[in-house]
């Protein structure tokens, strides 16, 4: 392998949907095909972006405004794009990113109600033409995600502490993004168990490889 253009693949979905597990399974599939990749997560991925993650997901004595939250997400993203994503793609590695700007559109846009045009302006500023080639959208019924989230055995972070309707709104945001971007979005249902998820991810990878060969 290695003759096809490296792809930028993001993994999205609400808390407890199995996103990080799916990313690891997808990474195993790339290993099997000897495809080089870099793993990244947002907010985070570099020391500075991880420090910003602590601020934006941590608890503080003063409330964090929605504007601060939005700007911190993009501040972390500016670091991650410049220090991880663009250099990895330039070196021929795929990038597997645990969340990207779709998360901002779903969480800060739909769930918090921040105006879409502000997010679009920031996205244009921070990463302009760089968007994922594919977005793997992990999906499961709310009863499943809520149960998985509460069984994590650690304290919930600032965003995880939001009420159920916040996550319902974010899930709705993802559904709208999937509808608006059918070429980029691949839905993976995670409630049927890990073997089903793995088989579906293998199909997604086959489709991406076929697509990327066809475009050469
Ligand atoms: P996670 O790494 O466990 O998915 O947690 C990241 C949290 O940050 C999650 O609650 C979603 C949230 N988030 C946003 O609200 N906006 C964003 O742009 C990103 C990247 C994450």
């Amino acid at each position: 392998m290695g003759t096809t253009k490296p792809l930028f693949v993001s993994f999205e979905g609400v808390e407890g949907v199995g996103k990080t597990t799916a990313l690891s399974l997808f990474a195993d599939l790339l290993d099997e095909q000897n495809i080089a990749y870099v793993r990244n997560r947002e907010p985070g991925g570099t020391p500075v972006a991880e420090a910003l993650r602590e601020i934006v997901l941590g608890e503080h004595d003063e409330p964090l405004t929605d504007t601060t939250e939005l700007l911190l997400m993009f501040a972390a993203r500016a670091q991650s794009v410049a220090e991880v994503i663009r250099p990895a793609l330039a070196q021929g590695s795929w990038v597997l990113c645990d969340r990207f700007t779709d998360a901002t559109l779903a969480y800060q846009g739909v769930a918090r109600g921040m105006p879409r045009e502000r997010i679009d302006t920031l996205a244009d500023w921070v990463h302009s033409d760089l968007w994922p080639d594919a977005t793997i959208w992990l999906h499961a019924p709310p009863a499943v995600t809520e149960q998985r989230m509460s069984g994590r055995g650690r304290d919930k972070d600032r965003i995880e502490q939001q009420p159920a309707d916040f996550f319902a709104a974010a899930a709705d945001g993802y559904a709208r993004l999937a509808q608006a971007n059918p070429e980029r979005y691949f839905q993976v249902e995670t409630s049927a168990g890990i073997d089903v998820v793995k088989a579906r991810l293998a199909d997604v990878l086959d489709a991406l490889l076929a697509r990327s060969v066809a475009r050469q």
Side-chain angles (χ1 to χ4, degrees), residues 15 19 42 53 57 73 77 99 103-104 107-108 159:
E15 276 77 356
K19 182 171 47 68
E42 293 202 355
R53 179 187 177 96
L57 298 183
M73 293 298 177
R77 184 158 303 130
R99 300 192 185 280
T104 316
Y107 283 79
Q108 282 66 50
I159 292 184

Side-chain angles (χ1 to χ4, degrees), residues 69-82:
E69 182 178 282
L70 174 65
L71 292 173
L72 285 172
M73 293 298 177
F74 272 106
R77 184 158 303 130
Q79 285 304 117
S80 149
V81 165

Side-chain angles (χ1 to χ4, degrees), residues 21-42:
T21 305
L23 194 152
S24 294
L25 291 171
F26 197 80
D28 292 344
L29 292 168
L30 293 187
D31 284 334
E32 284 167 21
Q33 304 244 15
N34 290 322
I35 297 172
Y37 60 86
V38 166
R39 279 181 78 142
N40 190 41
R41 71 167 180 179
E42 293 202 355

